[in-house]
Amino acid sequence: MLKRVHFGPSILPYLLVAPQIIITIVFFIWPASQALYQSFLLEDAFGLGSEFVKFENFQALFDDKYYLGAFKRTAFFSFVVAFSAMSIALALAAMIDRISRGVYTYRTLLIWPYAVAPVVAGALWVFMFDPTLGIFAYALNTVGYDWNHKLNGGEAMGLVIVAAVWKQIAYNFLFFVAAIHSIPKSLIEAAAIDGAGPFKRFWSIIFPLITPTTFFLLVVNIVYAFFDTFGIVHAITQGGPAKATEILVYKVWYDGSVALDLGGSAAQSVILMGIVIVMTVIQFRYIERKVEY
């Protein structure tokens, strides 16, 4: 006869989850609720007074052509950064199985950029492409290309994208390497015996089996492009030239800290948070259907 085990009430489970709940409340729920509340207010820059204006802050945003332009730039920037960082990292992770010597050095060199702070990453790239002192800018000038990202908006956006992709490749690489190494070698060896080449083995066996990791990284990279690239943009271009690299997260900071439009900045943060939540829900609802666990 099968005996059922019953556990009495205990406070231990609540104590174990309490730290995470407290952190979530203090660092997410409370700031998010404050931003939502402030988005309905017209506040004095010095915090001396406020007026409840309902949805006027949101209406002013969508009447602002610069904010709509930031929308388009953020969509383009996020897509390019996420796609490029994941593609390059996947290619590097796939190549690691073909390296017989120096594999640990190869891994270490690729992981190092992940330890670099976003601001430092931006500073490194802005020094290398500085129009007067940068080594890469000098190399481009020698072949007849006059590089100046301080005046050319397209070059500035390209430089920010390159820095953001370089910073995120290491993170994606770690997960792709772990996912590829978890695939049984017998499957790949059987395909090789059947005559499948390296490219065929990758697309027919390896890539379908790492789709859960790919889906996870897709969500993480989009969130990274929306939020964690602020330091890179600030270090390289500060949103310029002529707002050519002013993405949504940077505009939230600029309008709140520099322009002192506290209500408008709070409304922007609420919209940005809503966009990321909606995109994440769409990814889990539709893209995840194509993921085989």
Side-chain angles (χ1 to χ4, degrees):
M1 182 178 179
L2 181 63
K3 294 183 179 180
R4 295 184 177 181
V5 179
H6 297 275
F7 296 95
S10 175
I11 197 175
L12 180 60
Y14 300 98
L15 293 177
L16 293 176
V17 300
Q20 183 62 45
I21 294 176
I22 294 173
I23 291 174
T24 303
I25 293 174
V26 173
F27 293 101
F28 179 76
I29 296 179
W30 182 73
S33 62
Q34 287 293 107
L36 182 61
Y37 172 71
Q38 290 180 340
S39 65
F40 297 105
L41 302 177
L42 182 62
E43 297 186 78
D44 182 81
F46 300 98
L48 301 178
S50 61
E51 179 184 355
F52 185 74
V53 294
K54 298 182 181 179
F55 294 97
E56 290 184 12
N57 289 325
F58 295 93
Q59 183 179 357
L61 287 178
F62 290 105
D63 291 336
D64 184 3
K65 63 178 181 179
Y66 295 109
Y67 184 70
L68 299 178
F71 250 106
K72 298 177 182 178
R73 282 190 297 272
T74 304
F76 170 77
F77 175 78
S78 302
F79 173 78
V80 175
V81 169
F83 178 79
S84 301
M86 292 180 63
S87 300
I88 297 173
L90 181 58
L92 294 173
M95 292 178 186
I96 199 171
D97 285 335
R98 305 181 64 85
I99 298 177
S100 58
R101 299 180 61 183
V103 63
Y104 294 106
T105 303
Y106 176 80
R107 291 183 187 177
T108 303
L109 293 176
L110 286 174
I111 292 173
W112 273 357
Y114 182 59
V116 179
V119 176
V120 178
L124 290 174
W125 284 93
V126 77
F127 276 125
M128 290 188 292
F129 280 90
D130 186 86
T132 56
L133 302 174
I135 184 173
F136 288 151
Y138 175 78
L140 292 173
N141 288 330
T142 57
V143 298
Y145 187 86
D146 186 17
W147 172 274
N148 193 340
H149 67 273
K150 296 181 180 179
L151 299 177
N152 190 307
E155 294 176 354
M157 177 59 77
L159 182 57
V160 171
I161 289 174
V162 169
V165 170
W166 176 81
K167 174 71 175 65
Q168 189 67 3
I169 286 176
Y171 182 88
N172 298 334
F173 173 78
L174 289 172
F175 281 90
F176 278 132
V177 168
I180 292 175
H181 283 184
S182 66
I183 299 175
K185 295 295 183 182
S186 58
L187 296 176
I188 302 176
E189 293 172 355
I193 294 173
D194 290 339
F199 186 80
K200 183 68 173 179
R201 294 197 299 268
F202 177 81
W203 283 111
S204 61
I205 297 177
I206 296 177
F207 188 71
L209 292 176
I210 64 172
T211 49
T213 301
T214 305
F215 173 73
F216 164 76
L217 290 177
L218 175 63
V219 177
V220 170
N221 278 260
I222 290 178
V223 174
Y224 161 78
F226 266 85
F227 291 101
D228 293 343
T229 53
F230 167 83
I232 294 175
V233 175
H234 189 62
I236 296 178
T237 63
Q238 296 182 350
K243 299 185 180 297
T245 59
E246 188 181 58
I247 58 178
L248 289 176
V249 66
Y250 192 83
K251 185 170 176 56
V252 170
W253 171 83
Y254 183 87
D255 288 357
S257 300
V258 180
L260 298 178
D261 182 11
L262 303 182
S265 177
Q268 292 180 47
S269 66
V270 171
I271 294 174
L272 182 60
M273 179 177 61
I275 292 172
V276 174
I277 292 174
V278 170
M279 291 182 62
T280 305
V281 170
I282 292 174
Q283 290 170 359
F284 274 93
R285 185 171 180 82
Y286 296 103
I287 300 179
E288 192 183 22
R289 293 179 179 179
K290 300 181 181 179
V291 177
E292 298 181 3
Y293 292 93

